[in-house]
Amino acid sequence: GRLDLPGGFAMSERLHGSNVRDLQTTAVLDRETDEWVITTPTEADHKEGIGNAARHGQMMSVFAQLVIDGEGYGVHAFVVPVRDEDGHMLPNVRIEDSGYKMGLNGVDNGQLWFDGVRVPRENLLSRFAQVSEDGVYTSPIPSAGKRFFVMLGTLVGGRIAVGSGSNSAAKAGLA
């Protein structure tokens, strides 16, 4: 509530829109340094329309394909710093403003690219999966598909609530 650490939610990608399961940003475990290497593979795979990214966000929850030793474990969320305390972009991060929109121009929307950004292994948001110090992936949810739906279930409910609320507001306005 005090905006001590401005952040954002970096899920959507330009080429994949709301098809989160097939997003292309990767988080590859580097066993030697015990870090995740976050990479946007192509120019068009960038994170798109991310709130609080263009000017103010310092820390992002970045959704990426988790990869260990060449094996993919599906989409997971990682805490990734993008700016320092003074607002300067961190190395290997590129940020651009999303520009003028039809509405809500006060919202600081931006685009993000990651070129081998390194974050500690502990930056994996690990409610539904963990990766041990020796690089072993575990999850109480055995299926990658179920893990994906459990992780995104809250978002789906939120999107339904926004749509439902908009419908109610339109009905009231028309009445």
Side-chain angles (χ1 to χ4, degrees):
R2 297 187 318 253
L3 203 62
D4 290 340
L5 181 60
F9 188 77
M11 183 170 61
S12 298
E13 293 180 354
R14 175 169 228 151
L15 287 182
H16 299 91
S18 60
N19 180 12
V20 178
R21 183 188 301 261
D22 291 331
L23 60 79
Q24 296 298 301
T25 299
T26 58
V28 178
L29 182 64
D30 181 338
R31 287 177 177 272
E32 290 186 22
T33 61
D34 201 28
E35 296 172 308
W36 297 105
V37 182
I38 312 293
T39 304
T40 304
T42 73
E43 183 70 18
D45 289 317
H46 65 275
K47 299 297 181 181
E48 176 72 38
I50 307 307
N52 213 26
R55 293 179 169 242
H56 303 103
Q58 294 176 0
M59 192 76 68
M60 298 286 156
S61 294
V62 175
F63 285 72
Q65 299 286 349
L66 185 150
V67 180
I68 302 172
D69 297 333
E71 184 175 349
Y73 291 89
V75 176
H76 290 69
F78 301 82
V79 176
V80 180
V82 295
R83 287 189 180 86
D84 63 20
E85 292 177 0
D86 297 320
H88 300 108
M89 261 186 281
L90 294 176
N92 302 326
V93 174
R94 188 171 115 212
I95 302 172
E96 293 181 9
D97 194 302
S98 292
Y100 182 78
K101 303 180 301 274
M102 290 182 67
L104 291 176
N105 279 295
V107 176
D108 175 23
N109 291 104
Q111 303 165 347
L112 299 168
W113 290 262
F114 305 99
D115 185 19
V117 174
R118 291 178 169 270
V119 297
R121 180 180 43 80
E122 292 81 15
N123 284 29
L124 166 67
L125 295 177
S126 58
R127 182 173 181 193
F128 301 113
Q130 296 77 38
V131 176
S132 67
E133 289 182 27
D134 56 348
V136 176
Y137 179 90
T138 58
S139 175
I141 306 167
S143 159
K146 286 182 182 177
R147 223 175 9 256
F148 177 78
F149 285 110
V150 167
M151 183 173 60
L152 294 182
T154 303
L155 296 174
V156 172
R159 288 181 175 182
I160 290 170
V162 168
S164 176
S166 298
N167 189 38
S168 296
K171 285 180 182 179
L174 288 172

